[in-house]
Each structure stands twice: as C-alpha cells, then as structure tokens.
C-alpha cells in the first residue's frame, strides 16, 4: 500500500492558508492553494533572506512613521524588532538573529499594507510572576565535598572482577568533577564579561581611549583635528590627554549640580567651580567645551553656596551654648531652602537615570534646556541669599539680621509681582519660601496675642520683654515691652507715633508695620489681663474657637480661600510622608525604673502610659496638621495672585485687628468698672484742679488765715488735719487716699506769692489705674495746683480787704511829733483821696484776678474737662486712655501759662499776684501808713503789667497762635485804667 508523502510543517501551512485566504479545508480553492504551496516547497529553491536589506527596509518604515508624526509607532516598532531579534525562535534553540528571524520579518513585510494609515494601539503584556525554583541539589549538597573517596566492601574473590567497575566508576566521577569545574570556570568568565560590559570605564585613571570612540563623521573627531592644527602652528602647544565622552561629562555635571564638591572634571576652589585643564571631548574644542560648561559651573557654585549655608545653620543650631547665634528666621529659611534643593536633586536624579540607561539622546544642550527653569529658580533663591543673608553678615544683632532677610524677601516678592513675572513657578516658589520664613514671627505673634506669652529664645522678634518691669508696677505699660532699637525706646503707641519713624525703622519687618500698634497693644493687654486673673473670659469667648489654629495656619487657610488651589497638584515627596508614631522608649524606661525601685505600682504604670500615649498622639496629630498646611501651601493657585499688600489686608490683618478690638475693649471695661479708673480721674480733677470748690475752700481759707495771722502752718500734721476736716463732709470715703506734704522751700521762690508752692498733694491710686495716673503725672498736677492756689490766695486776700481796716488810724502814732512831721513832709494827699484811690486799685486788681480765675476754672478746666471725657468714651484701648489723659494734662499745663514757652506771660501774672499781696499788706496797715509814693508805685506797676499782658495777648491772638487766650486778653484790656 502506497503512502502519501507529507512535507514538514504541513499543518502549519494549512493554518496559514486559512488565516490568509479565509478558505475552509473542504473548499476546492483551499485544495488548490495547498497544492500550490506543496509544489513550491518540494520542488523550488529560495535564496537566503538578506538581513541587511530587511533592516534597511524596517529603518525606512520607522523614518516614514517619524515623517508622518507617528513617533509612538516608530519607537514601538524599533523596540519590538530589537526584542524579536534577541529572542530564540523556539524553546529547542538559544540562537538569536538567525536567518529564520529575518525570514519571519520578511514575511511580515510582504503582508503589511499601508502601515501609516492603520491605528496603532500597543498591547500591554502582563508578565506572569515566576516563582524561583528551589535548588534542592545545592541545598542537600551544601556541606558535602565534590572529591570523595570510595571504599569497596567486596571480598577478595570478587576484587578481580570488580577492578574494572571501580576504574570505570572513578573515571566517571572524575569526568563529573571536571565538568562541574568547567561550568564554574565558565560562570566566572561570564560574570567577568558582564562586569566589563556594564562597569563604567575608569576615565579618571585615563583608562578611556579616544580610539575606542572614534566616529565615522568628521565632526566627531573635531578636537583631534583642531589639536593637530594647533600643534602645527605652535610647537609649544600642550595637548590634553584625559579623554571623556559626553555621557560621562553629563553625569559629572549632574553630580556637580547636586552639591558634590570633589569630582574629576570639576575642581571646587575659592567658592567656585573650574574645569580640569587636562579633560577634553572628541567632538568639541577646548574653548568651546569650557564655554559650554561655564553656565553649568555658575549655577553649581550657587548651589554649593546654598548647601554650605544650610549646613552651617544646622551646625550652629545644634550648638546649645550660644542660643542667639542662629535666629529662628534663618532656620525657617534653611528649612524651605533645603526642601527646594531636595526637589532639585530629585529632578537631577531622574536625569541621571536617563543618561545611565541611554534610552533617550542626551547632550549638554538638551540638558541645559531641561534645567533652565530650575536655573532661574536657583538664581532667584541665590539672589535672596546674597542680598538678605550675605549682605547682613556684618550686622551685630539677631533682630537686624532677621528683619533684613524678611524685608529683602518682601521687596523681592513685590518687585516680581509689580514687574509682572511671567514664570508663575518662580512666584509660587518665592511666595512659599517667604511664608515659611515668616513662620517663626507668626508663631511668636500667635502666642503673644492669644495667651500673653512673648516667647522669643533666639531674639528674632522686634519687641522684647523688659524683665525689670513687673506686671504690678505703675510703669508696666510704658516700660514692659521695648522695641529692639539702638536707642531702646519703649513700645507705647503714642511714643512710636511721635518719636519713631516706623517707615525707616530697620528692625521692623515691612509686612508688620501697618499693624505694629495693634500687635503691641494686644500683647500688653493680654499680659495685663493675665496678671488680673481675667484672661479666662477672653479665651472663653474668642480663643477657644481658634485654639487649635495658630496665626500661621489661619493665614495659610485664608490665603488658600483667596487664591484657590490647584487640582491634582502633587506636593513634594518629603511633604507626602506618612506620619508614624515613634517607638515609645520612654515607657520602657519608666517600666524599668518602677521595677528597679522595688515597689511596682500597676496603677502608676497605667497613668504614665496614659500620659505618654496622649503626648505621642498630640505629636502625631500636630505633624499631620503641619503636613496638611504644607501641602495646601504648595498647591496655591498663583495665577490669581494679587498684590501682596492686599493679600495681607485680607488674610492676616483682620485676625490681628479682631484680637485687638476684643482684648483691648475687654481690658478697658475691667479697668473702668472693676478698678474705678474714672472715679480716680474725677478725684484728681476735684482736688488737684480744685473743681470741688466748696470742699477745697474750707482747706485753703483756713490755710490763708494761718498765713495771714503768722501762725504755724508748715507742718504735715497741721495741713493733714485741715485737709481731713475739709474732706469729712463730702469725701469721707476717699479721705484716707488723699494726703498733703510740705516740702522745703525752694530758692527759686523769690516772690511772696510763691510761699504756698511747698504744699504738695498726694493721691493714692490703686493698680492698674496708677499706670494712667502715675507719680510723674501727679507732679504735673501739683504744679497746676500750686498755680491755682496762688490765684485763690490773691483772690481771697482782695475779697477779705475790710474798708474799716483801711480807714483805721493809730492814735499813738498821731501823737508822735516826729511822725506827724514826717507825714506832713511825705504826703501832700488828703486821706479821703488815698482811700478812694486804694478802693479803685482794689477793684481793678479784683477784676484782674477774677478774670484770670474765671479763665482758668471755666475756659480751661471746665471746657478741657468736657473734651477729655469725650475722648475717654471714644478710647478703644488703654493706650488711648493714657494718651487722652496725657494730652489733657499737657493742654491744661500749657493753657495755664506754665509752659516754658510762655514764661514771659507767667512772670507778668506772677508780678500782679505778688502786687496784690503787697497791696493787701498796705490795706491792713491803714490809710495813714500808705504814702503817695507807694500808692503811685503800685498803680504804675499794675498798669505796666496789664498793658504788657494786653498788648502781648492781642498780638498773639491776631496771629492765631493761642485762640483760647482771647477772653483773657479782653479782660486784660478792659482792666487798663487811664494812664
């Protein structure tokens, strides 16, 4: 029986026909195709496939894809062809790049039809996880030796028979050992070859030879040709001998930019990088290579400077001896700067992986284009470092350094925003660094205006606590907090507005200048409330809501609401870390201590564990909150960025203003109602300014009578008893707080009217009202009191001039002949005329004193007091109350002509008041004791003083300098008599 001869692969041929033509096997056309194929396979010979032609055709297809902007197809085709060439066609063979591979590729080329018009979608091949097979042989023979001796147990009879078997077995064993040894040697050679292929050539040892990298294009050998030309032109030319490839140079560039100071190509000296003079590239001249590397070395030097600064700050921060060596502001700036450098190094690491894998072309030009956005950021950060830190190295205080850095960053941010910086990434980076650098200031502010604690261990803050001023001192409000200035001026807002030009103060950061007054007053008020024991009310009503949020967190959240956040924005890797609790080593130590002591208390251990767990959980929650706000900060939408002043007005200042209004108003209410500040001020006006006229009249009338009768009055007990009697009727409840004191007479008191200037009142003001009515202000009150007392004395003397006393005659003196003769000689006026002139002079003096008295008590004290009360009602903080009181006291002091600028007027008035005492003395002596000369002298003296006062006041009023003196000037003019 004859059998039909089959050809190899007939089943595959049938499957191929079905897939290409679509004919079924029972179809006639299918049989025709099968016969055709079998005929060609059996009786035709085909030439071998030209692999070069196939590769050229495939490269042409890839180029065609690139021309048609189908780069994904070109890359995929190249990758798949390379993978196919390096893979065996079947499991029975390990050969690659055989004729069979190119035959299959040729077949695929013949079957292809318009590849550029087809839609390409690469299939994702999922590689199954292959579990490594366990090497049982290696495991079982781990402790066995390959060379083993065989001992035969056969008898002597069988030795001859088994000699041959033993020889065969030994030979087989030796062959096995030799085979294993050959396999082991082969594995060493394979590993060595792998190492030679994958290890980097040690170009730093001049192992890299240019001949191994010589290209076929002339431009790739430019250095050799140019160097040969230079040698021919200059016999003394020294050629470079250390050849490196551009890939190696690029990796060196990436290392340099990462902060590596020691490398082969780049030498770091004197804070800058230079190129190794012995290195060259084959395709670039020496000048061209160095010129191309200059821009990389520039930014490498800047990165190195920033890295050095960060390391120095970290080292100084770890120094616990000098706490003020590095400010918290510098530490915050270094933290944000380190984050920026870490992101930059991460980007460089990605580029290095690309260069190492050589999957994509990379040249110095391509690398620079990729790094150019980062270079712009580095230059921006470096400029801040130079102008904000290096330029402030000579400053001698921490506050000057911190404020200078913050002001430089603030100005840079404003300048970039004003000039319309097109790169929003730079604006985002600058904004983030500025906010993070301001973090210490925000934290110090938050603690101070929230809890009243000014914690500034590194002396960063512009305000410092004066430790010598205690909370219960009357100078607390004035001296407790000081600006860190060279003149050490205090922080009260009135003094800041008068004595300190905030715009020129270098220690005040610009972003805090608009709210400096509110910050200072809120912080001082909080500490004062804490001393009063009233801080709980403020915290209960306002701070509990924001107790978990600091000023920094509130500012970041408000900024995110105002600008918006980017959707899908990826935060830096260091920010997106998972917070895990630290191992609780402290609990273990407590457990050990409890056991060491010998008395193990389980309840005490549980309490300790609860404390440590709570603290650890707080730390974890705090860290998570920090990460959330940092992510929010990096996701800000900078495209909608508004001017920085507007941002601060909407995101920072409102909270500070709110705290200022709430805390200061609460403090004022407490001082007004619980500490009776207004009652003390009313008492000062009643006694020192003599607004309690009836009560003080009883005091000074008794005093003036004693002086008139020459009785003893210069004694504290006597005056105290007189004052106690005067206050008993209406002010018995506060009489114990008002005392009187007699000081030694001053040599300046040359006029008799100044006799009572030694009397000083003292009013005991309780804390905290004594911060408003302090001892130095009571001295000013006493000066006004002395002047009013002089006017009261002159007025009292004139009002108590009895007409009978003037007409009284001394009969004993009238009988004296000598006296009668003297009178006859000295006087030529009758007594009635003298009496008449004395009465006219009395009325003129009384009119003058009454005019002066009404001016002081009504035009000055009363009207100024009404204005003062209105200012007190409008006051929003304690500082405004103090300022209103100071202005009130200063205005009264000035309007009473006690100011040094009005010493001329005061001197003229003092002469008139002293003249009244002389006049009263003559009046009491009687008309017979008054000579015409003395009467004329008094009249002339009074006329001159009044004429001077009238003319001087009129000229001043015409200039508009002192409008309040108009009524007094009118009284002076009308009191002039006919000259």
């Amino acid at each position: 029986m004859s059998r039909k001869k089959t050809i190899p692969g007939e089943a595959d041929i049938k499957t191929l026909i079905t897939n290409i033509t679509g004919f079924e096997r029972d179809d006639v056309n299918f049989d025709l195709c099968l016969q055709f194929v079998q005929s060609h396979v059996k009786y035709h010979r085909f030439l071998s496939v030209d692999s070069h032609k196939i590769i050229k055709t495939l490269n042409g297809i890839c180029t065609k894809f690139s021309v048609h902007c189908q780069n994904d197809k070109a890359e995929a085709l190249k990758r798949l062809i390379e993978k196919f060439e390096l893979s065996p066609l079947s499991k029975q063979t390990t050969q690659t790049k055989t004729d069979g591979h190119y035959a299959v590729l040729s077949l695929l080329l013949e079957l292809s039809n318009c590849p550029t018009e087809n839609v390409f979608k690469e299939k994702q091949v999922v590689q199954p996880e292959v579990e490594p097979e366990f090497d049982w042989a290696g495991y079982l023979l781990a402790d066995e030796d390959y060379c083993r001796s065989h001992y035969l147990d056969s008898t002597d009879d069988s030795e001859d028979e088994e000699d041959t078997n033993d020889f065969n077995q030994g030979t087989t064993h030796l062959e096995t050992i030799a085979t294993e040894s050959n396999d082991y040697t082969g594995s060493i050679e394979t590993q060595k070859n792998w190492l030679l292929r994958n290890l980097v050539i040690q170009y730093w040892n001049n192992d890299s030879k240019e001949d191994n990298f010589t290209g076929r294009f002339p431009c790739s050998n430019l250095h050799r040709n140019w160097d040969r030309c230079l040698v021919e032109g200059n016999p003394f030319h020294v050629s470079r001998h250390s050849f490196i490839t551009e890939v190696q140079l690029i990796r060196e560039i990436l290392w340099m930019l990462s902060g590596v100071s020691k490398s082969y190509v780049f030498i770091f000296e004197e804070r800058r990088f230079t190129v190794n003079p012995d290195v060259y590239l084959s395709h670039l001249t020496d000048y061209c290579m160095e010129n191309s590397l200059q821009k990389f070395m520039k930014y490498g030097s800047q990165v190195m400077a920033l890295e050095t600064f960060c390391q120095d700050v970290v080292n100084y921060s770890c120094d616990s001896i000098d706490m003020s060596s590095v400010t918290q502001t510098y530490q915050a700036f270094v933290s944000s700067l380190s984050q920026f450098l870490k992101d930059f190094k991460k980007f460089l690491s990605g580029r290095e992986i690309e260069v190492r894998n050589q999957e994509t072309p990379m040249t110095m030009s391509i690398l620079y284009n990729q790094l150019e956005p980062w270079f712009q950021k580095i230059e921006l950060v470096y400029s801040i470092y130079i102008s904000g830190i290096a330029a402030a190295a000579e400053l001698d205080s921490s506050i000057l350094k911190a404020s200078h850095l913050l002001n430089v960053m603030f100005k840079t941010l404003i300048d970039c925003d004003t000039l319309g910086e097109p790169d929003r990434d730079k604006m985002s980076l600058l904004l983030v660094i500025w906010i993070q650098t301001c973090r210490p200031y925000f934290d110090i502010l938050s603690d101070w205006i929230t809890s009243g604690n000014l914690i500034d261990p590194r002396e960063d803050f512009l305000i410092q606590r004066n430790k010598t001023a205690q909370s219960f001192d009357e100078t607390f409000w004035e001296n407790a907090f000081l600006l860190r200035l060279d003149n050490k001026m205090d922080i009260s807002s009135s003094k800041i507005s008068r004595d300190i030009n905030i715009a020129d103060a270098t220690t005040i950061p610009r972003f805090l200048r608009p709210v400096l007054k509110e910050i200072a007053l809120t912080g001082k008020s909080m500490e004062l409330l804490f001393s009063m024991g009233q801080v709980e009310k403020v915290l209960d009503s306002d701070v509990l809501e924001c107790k978990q949020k600091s000023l920094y967190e509130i500012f970041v959240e408000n900024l995110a609401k105002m600008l918006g956040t980017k959707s899908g924005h990826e935060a830096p890797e260091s920010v997106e870390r998972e917070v895990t609790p630290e191992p609780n080593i402290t609990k273990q130590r407590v457990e050990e201590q409890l056991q060491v002591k010998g008395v193990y208390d389980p309840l005490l251990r549980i309490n300790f564990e609860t404390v440590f767990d709570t603290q650890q959980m707080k730390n974890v929650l705090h860290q998570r909150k920090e990460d959330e706000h940092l992510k929010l900060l990096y996701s800000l939408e900078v495209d909608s960025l508004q001017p920085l002043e507007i941002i601060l007005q909407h995101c920072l200042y409102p909270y500070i203003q709110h705290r200022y209004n709430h805390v200061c108003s609460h403090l004022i209410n407490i001082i007004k109602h619980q500490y009776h500040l207004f009652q003390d001020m009313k008492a000062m006006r009643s006694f020192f300014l003599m607004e309690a006229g009836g009560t003080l009249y009883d005091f000074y009338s008794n005093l003036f009578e004693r002086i008139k009768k020459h009785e003893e009055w210069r004694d504290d007990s006597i005056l105290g008893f007189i004052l106690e009697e005067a206050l008993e009727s209406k002010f018995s409840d506060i009489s114990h707080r008002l005392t009187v004191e007699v000081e030694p007479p001053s040599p300046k008191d040359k006029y008799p009217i100044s006799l009572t200037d030694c009397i000083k009142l003292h009013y005991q003001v309780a804390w905290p009202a004594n911060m408003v009515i302090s001892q130095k202000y009571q001295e000013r009150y006493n000066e006004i009191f002395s002047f009013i007392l002089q006017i009261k004395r002159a007025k009292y003397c004139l009002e108590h001039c009895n007409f009978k006393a003037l007409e009284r005659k001394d009969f004993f003196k009238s009988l004296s002949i000598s006296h009668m003769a003297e009178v006859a000689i000295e006087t030529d006026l009758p007594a009635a005329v003298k009496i008449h002139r004395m009465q006219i002079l009395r009325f003129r003096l009384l009119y003058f004193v009454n005019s002066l008295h009404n001016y002081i008590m009504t035009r000055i004290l009363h009207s100024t007091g009404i204005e003062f009360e209105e200012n007190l009602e409008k006051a929003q903080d304690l500082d405004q109350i103090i300022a209103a009181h100071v202005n009130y006291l200063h205005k009264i002091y000035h309007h009473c002509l006690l100011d040094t600028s009005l010493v001329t007027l005061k001197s003229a008035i003092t002469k008139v008041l002293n003249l009244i005492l002389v006049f009263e003395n003559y009046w009491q002596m009687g008309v017979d004791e008054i000579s015409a000369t003395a009467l004329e002298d008094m009249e002339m003296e009074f006329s001159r003083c009044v004429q001077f006062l009238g003319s001087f006041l009129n000229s001043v009023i015409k200039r508009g300098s002192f409008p309040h003196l108009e009524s007094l000037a009118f009284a002076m003019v009308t009191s002039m008599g006919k000259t």
Side-chain angles (χ1 to χ4, degrees):
M1 182 176 180
S2 63
R3 297 179 59 186
K4 185 179 179 181
K5 185 179 180 181
T6 60
I7 62 175
E10 184 174 356
D12 295 334
I13 293 174
K14 291 180 180 181
T15 304
L16 181 61
I17 294 172
T18 302
N19 292 334
I20 294 177
T21 61
F23 299 147
E24 297 298 334
R25 297 196 178 187
D26 55 353
D27 195 348
V28 179
N29 295 325
F30 179 83
D31 295 335
L32 294 176
C33 292
L34 180 59
Q35 294 175 6
F36 176 80
V37 174
Q38 291 177 347
S39 174
H40 281 73
V41 172
K42 292 180 180 179
Y43 308 110
H44 289 269
R45 294 182 178 274
F46 297 95
L47 297 177
S48 299
V49 180
D50 189 356
S51 59
H52 298 284
K53 183 177 181 181
I54 298 299
I55 294 175
K56 184 176 180 181
T57 305
L58 292 174
N59 291 335
I61 293 176
C62 293
T63 305
K64 190 174 183 180
F65 282 147
S66 301
V67 171
H68 287 270
C69 299
Q70 297 178 1
N71 295 326
D72 53 346
K73 288 184 179 182
E75 294 176 359
L77 181 58
K78 290 180 180 180
R79 185 174 65 255
L80 293 175
I81 290 174
E82 183 178 359
K83 183 177 180 182
F84 176 72
E85 289 178 340
L86 299 176
S87 301
L89 288 178
S90 62
K91 297 182 179 179
Q92 290 75 17
T93 181
T94 58
Q95 297 179 357
T96 60
K97 295 185 179 181
T98 62
D99 291 341
H101 288 81
Y102 295 107
V104 174
L105 292 176
S106 176
L107 177 61
L108 294 177
L109 287 175
E110 296 295 336
L111 295 177
S112 62
N113 184 17
C114 298
T116 56
E117 297 180 0
N118 295 327
V119 179
F120 171 73
K121 184 176 182 182
E122 187 175 359
K123 295 181 180 180
Q124 299 294 335
V125 180
V126 179
Q127 297 291 341
E129 296 183 359
V130 180
E131 297 183 358
E133 296 182 358
F134 189 79
D135 187 10
W136 287 103
Y139 176 77
L140 295 175
L141 299 176
D143 298 330
E144 300 293 336
D145 296 329
Y146 284 105
C147 298
R148 290 182 291 271
S149 301
H150 297 269
Y151 299 94
L152 303 177
D153 296 332
S154 60
T155 61
D156 297 338
D157 298 329
S158 59
E159 288 180 1
D160 296 335
E161 296 178 359
E162 293 180 356
D163 284 340
T164 306
N165 296 331
D166 294 340
F167 178 77
N168 294 334
Q169 290 178 1
T171 305
T172 305
H173 181 66
L174 292 175
E175 291 177 354
T176 304
I177 295 176
T179 304
E180 293 176 353
S181 179
N182 292 334
D183 294 340
Y184 185 71
T185 306
S187 62
I188 293 179
E189 294 294 333
T190 304
Q191 294 177 4
K192 183 177 180 180
N193 294 332
W194 182 88
L195 290 175
L196 292 176
R197 289 195 308 268
N198 291 275
L199 286 181
V200 178
I201 299 176
Q202 297 182 3
Y203 55 88
W204 53 90
N205 292 330
N206 294 329
D207 291 345
S208 180
K209 304 301 180 181
E210 184 178 0
D211 297 336
N212 300 331
F213 299 93
T214 302
R216 55 180 177 173
F217 298 102
C219 59
S220 61
N221 303 315
L222 178 61
H223 181 272
R224 177 185 298 175
N225 299 332
W226 180 251
D227 192 67
R228 187 183 298 116
C229 180
L230 292 177
V231 170
E232 293 176 357
N234 182 13
F236 299 100
H237 173 71
V238 179
S239 302
R240 302 190 179 192
H241 302 288
S242 181
F243 167 74
I244 60 173
T245 63
E246 187 167 4
V247 173
Q248 296 167 352
L249 180 59
I250 289 175
R251 297 189 69 180
E252 291 270 351
I253 292 174
L254 295 175
W255 297 339
M256 176 193 64
L257 294 176
S258 300
V260 178
S261 59
K262 295 181 179 180
S263 63
Y264 178 69
V265 177
F266 300 100
I267 302 173
F268 185 72
E269 292 180 349
E270 298 180 355
R271 299 181 181 181
R272 66 186 186 93
F273 283 100
T274 58
V275 183
N276 187 345
D278 202 32
V279 172
Y280 71 94
L281 292 175
S282 62
H283 59 283
L284 291 178
T285 62
D286 298 339
Y287 175 79
C288 182
M289 183 189 69
E290 292 183 358
N291 191 30
S292 301
L293 294 177
Q294 283 297 330
K295 47 191 177 183
F296 292 104
M297 291 188 295
K298 169 188 174 183
Y299 296 108
S301 302
Q302 295 179 1
V303 171
M304 201 65 194
L306 297 177
E307 288 277 3
T308 305
F309 169 70
C310 293
Q311 188 63 38
D312 291 343
V313 171
V314 172
N315 294 337
Y316 281 114
S317 301
C318 298
D319 185 10
S320 59
I321 299 177
D322 188 6
M323 293 294 293
S324 61
S325 58
V326 177
T327 64
Q328 289 181 313
T329 306
Y330 275 22
Q331 295 177 5
F333 176 71
V334 166
S335 177
S336 59
L337 182 59
S338 300
Q339 178 61 52
F340 166 72
L341 294 177
K342 187 180 298 183
D343 296 339
F344 177 59
K345 291 179 182 178
K346 181 181 177 182
F347 180 82
L348 295 177
S349 178
R351 304 291 77 74
E352 185 179 2
I353 293 174
E354 293 180 0
V355 174
R356 183 183 61 196
N357 296 336
Q358 298 185 8
E359 296 177 351
T360 57
M362 181 67 70
T363 62
M364 286 192 293
S365 178
I366 296 175
L367 180 64
Y368 183 80
N369 293 333
Q370 293 180 356
L371 295 177
E372 187 174 9
W374 284 97
F375 287 160
Q376 295 178 2
K377 295 179 183 179
I378 291 174
E379 190 169 8
L380 175 63
V381 176
Y382 184 75
S383 64
I384 295 175
Y385 164 74
I386 292 297
S387 57
I389 295 177
E394 301 298 329
L395 298 178
D396 55 353
S397 63
S398 300
I399 177 59
L400 291 176
K401 294 180 180 179
S403 60
H404 180 75
L405 174 60
L406 294 176
N407 289 335
V408 167
M409 297 184 66
F410 188 82
K411 182 178 181 301
T412 305
L413 192 57
I414 291 180
D415 292 343
C416 292
D417 183 62
T418 305
L419 298 176
E421 176 61 44
D423 191 355
R424 309 311 292 177
D425 291 339
K426 291 174 60 176
M427 286 296 300
S428 177
L429 173 65
L430 188 58
L431 181 63
V432 170
I433 294 179
W434 176 74
I435 294 176
Q436 288 185 307
T437 307
C438 295
R439 176 71 182 272
Y441 258 72
F442 288 145
D443 292 341
I444 294 173
L445 277 179
S446 181
D447 291 338
W448 194 30
I449 67 178
T450 303
S451 60
N453 298 322
L454 183 57
I455 303 174
D456 184 18
R458 301 279 182 171
E459 299 181 358
D460 290 69
F461 199 52
L462 70 157
I463 300 172
Q464 62 178 341
R465 180 67 166 87
N466 185 8
K467 297 180 180 180
T468 59
Q470 302 298 325
S471 300
F472 297 95
D473 295 342
E474 67 175 17
T475 59
F476 166 79
W477 193 263
E478 185 176 1
N479 300 326
F481 296 95
L482 308 174
L483 280 176
R484 295 187 188 274
L485 299 174
D486 295 337
N487 52 5
K488 301 294 182 183
M489 300 189 68
D490 51 17
I491 190 56
S492 70
S493 61
S494 60
K495 291 193 175 184
I496 287 178
S497 61
R498 286 202 307 267
D499 301 332
I500 299 177
N501 188 0
I502 296 180
D504 297 333
T506 57
T507 59
I508 303 176
R510 288 181 57 184
F511 74 98
L512 289 181
R513 291 176 185 176
V515 289
L516 177 62
K517 174 183 174 182
E518 287 77 7
I519 291 172
L521 296 179
T522 307
K524 290 195 292 185
S525 300
M526 282 299 300
E527 183 168 344
L528 200 58
L529 288 172
F530 184 81
S531 302
M532 296 177 183
Q534 302 289 338
V535 71
E536 292 82 4
K537 297 181 180 179
V538 181
L539 296 177
D540 292 341
S541 58
D542 183 66
V543 179
L544 291 181
E545 180 182 356
C546 302
K547 197 169 184 180
Q548 302 299 327
K549 295 182 180 180
S550 63
L551 183 61
Y552 169 79
E553 295 170 353
I554 294 174
F555 176 68
V556 172
E557 292 177 0
N558 293 338
L559 187 61
K561 293 178 182 178
M562 181 178 181
L563 301 181
T565 56
K566 301 176 184 177
S567 58
H569 177 75
E570 296 183 358
E573 183 179 356
S574 59
V575 176
E576 298 178 346
R577 60 182 182 271
E578 182 180 356
V579 181
T580 56
E582 298 179 355
N584 203 338
I585 304 176
T586 310
K587 294 169 60 177
Q588 299 176 3
R589 293 181 179 177
V590 171
E591 184 80 16
E592 295 174 358
Q593 289 296 323
L594 290 175
Q595 294 179 356
V596 168
K597 295 301 181 181
V599 180
Y600 185 78
D601 189 351
L603 181 60
L604 185 60
R605 179 182 60 81
I606 294 174
N607 291 333
F608 271 119
E609 289 181 358
T610 304
V611 171
F612 293 140
D613 290 341
T614 304
Q615 185 63 34
Q616 189 174 5
M617 185 56 62
K618 288 182 180 179
N619 295 336
V620 172
L621 294 177
H622 176 72
Q623 189 62 47
R624 289 178 179 174
K625 189 185 300 183
E626 291 288 329
D627 294 344
E628 291 176 359
H629 286 87
L630 198 55
K631 291 179 184 178
L632 189 63
L633 193 60
Y634 276 99
S635 63
L636 292 176
E637 184 62 58
V638 191
D639 293 336
S640 58
L641 184 66
Q642 300 183 18
L644 196 55
E645 292 85 354
I646 298 178
I647 291 178
L648 293 174
Q649 291 174 4
H650 286 81
C651 301
L652 181 63
Y653 298 161
Y655 176 77
I656 297 177
Q657 187 68 36
H658 172 70
R659 287 294 301 164
Y660 160 76
N661 294 333
H662 183 80
V663 173
C664 294
S665 61
H666 190 74
L667 176 64
I668 289 178
N669 291 332
I670 292 176
I671 294 179
K672 283 182 180 178
H673 300 94
Q674 297 186 18
Y675 292 91
H676 313 292
L677 174 63
F678 285 2
Q679 287 81 345
D680 291 336
M681 287 187 172
K682 185 176 181 181
M684 295 295 295
R685 293 168 59 186
S686 299
F687 302 140
F688 288 83
L689 304 183
M690 295 189 181
E691 290 187 1
T695 302
L696 269 297
Y697 178 79
D698 296 338
F699 170 72
Y700 64 71
S701 61
N702 196 340
L703 173 65
F704 296 154
E705 287 296 327
R706 284 179 171 272
I707 295 175
K708 183 178 179 181
K709 295 177 182 180
H710 302 284
E711 297 179 359
E712 180 61 32
W713 61 274
R714 291 178 180 270
D715 188 80
D716 295 347
S717 59
I718 295 175
L719 293 181
F721 179 75
I722 297 173
L723 182 62
E724 184 71 23
E725 286 185 342
L727 297 176
E728 185 176 0
S729 60
K730 295 184 179 180
F731 299 96
S732 59
D733 55 336
I734 59 173
S735 59
H736 64 283
R737 301 174 62 181
L738 184 64
T739 58
V740 63
E741 179 185 358
V742 180
E743 294 182 350
S746 175
K748 297 181 181 180
D749 301 337
K750 59 182 179 179
Y751 294 109
I753 195 65
S754 303
L755 183 66
T756 57
D757 289 353
C758 61
I759 300 176
K760 304 295 180 182
L761 296 179
H762 295 283
Y763 183 76
Q764 184 180 358
V765 184
W767 181 88
N770 61 352
M771 290 187 292
V772 181
I773 311 173
S774 61
Q775 189 62 34
K776 69 175 183 178
Y777 295 136
Q778 288 200 28
E779 295 176 0
R780 184 60 57 91
Y781 272 109
N782 271 310
E783 293 183 25
I784 301 174
F785 171 77
S786 299
F787 179 66
I788 297 177
L789 191 61
Q790 291 178 3
I791 299 175
K792 294 286 187 179
R793 183 185 177 190
K795 185 173 181 296
Y796 181 85
C797 290
L798 290 176
E799 289 177 347
H800 288 75
C801 287
N802 194 351
F803 288 100
K804 294 181 180 181
L806 179 64
E807 297 174 357
R808 182 180 56 191
K809 295 182 179 181
D810 192 349
F811 293 100
F812 294 99
K813 290 184 178 181
S814 62
L815 297 176
S816 177
I817 300 176
S818 59
H819 177 71
M820 294 297 295
E822 183 180 357
V823 170
I825 295 173
E826 291 182 355
T827 181
D828 55 353
L829 294 176
V833 175
K834 289 191 291 182
I835 292 174
H836 180 69
R837 291 177 63 179
M838 286 290 290
Q839 291 177 348
I840 293 176
L841 181 59
R842 173 181 176 272
F843 282 111
R844 291 178 63 189
L845 291 172
L846 188 61
Y847 177 78
F848 174 85
V849 171
N850 286 334
S851 300
L852 181 62
H853 182 269
N854 292 334
Y855 165 75
I856 297 296
M857 302 304 296
T858 58
R859 180 68 179 86
I860 302 303
L861 298 182
H862 180 69
S863 60
T864 309
I866 295 176
E867 182 182 355
F868 174 55
E869 292 176 356
E870 293 178 354
N871 293 333
L872 290 180
E873 294 297 331
K874 296 178 182 179
Q876 299 179 353
D877 53 65
L878 183 59
D879 201 75
Q880 291 184 5
I881 291 179
I882 295 175
H885 178 252
V886 171
N887 293 333
Y888 164 72
L889 196 58
H890 176 73
K891 185 178 292 185
I892 291 178
Y893 187 81
H894 183 75
H895 289 179
C896 289
L897 310 178
L898 299 177
D899 196 273
T900 54
S901 60
L902 301 174
V903 64
T904 305
L905 288 177
K906 176 64 169 55
S907 178
I909 293 176
T910 302
K911 288 182 179 180
V912 175
L913 297 179
N914 191 65
L915 180 63
I916 291 175
L917 296 182
V918 176
F919 174 81
E920 191 264 347
N921 189 27
Y922 277 113
W923 187 284
Q924 297 297 335
M925 291 172 61
V927 67
D928 295 336
E929 298 295 329
I930 303 173
S931 64
T933 305
L935 182 59
E936 290 179 359
D937 290 340
M938 289 189 294
E939 291 176 344
M940 292 297 296
E941 180 72 15
F942 177 69
S943 297
R944 285 196 299 268
C945 291
V946 171
Q947 186 176 4
F948 168 76
L949 290 172
S951 60
F952 184 85
L953 292 175
N954 282 330
S955 62
V956 170
I957 292 171
K958 289 179 182 179
R959 293 198 304 266
S961 302
F962 303 99
H964 59 278
L965 295 174
E966 184 176 355
S967 59
L968 181 62
F970 178 76
M972 297 297 103
V973 173
T974 55
S975 64
M976 294 181 187
K978 293 183 179 180
T979 59

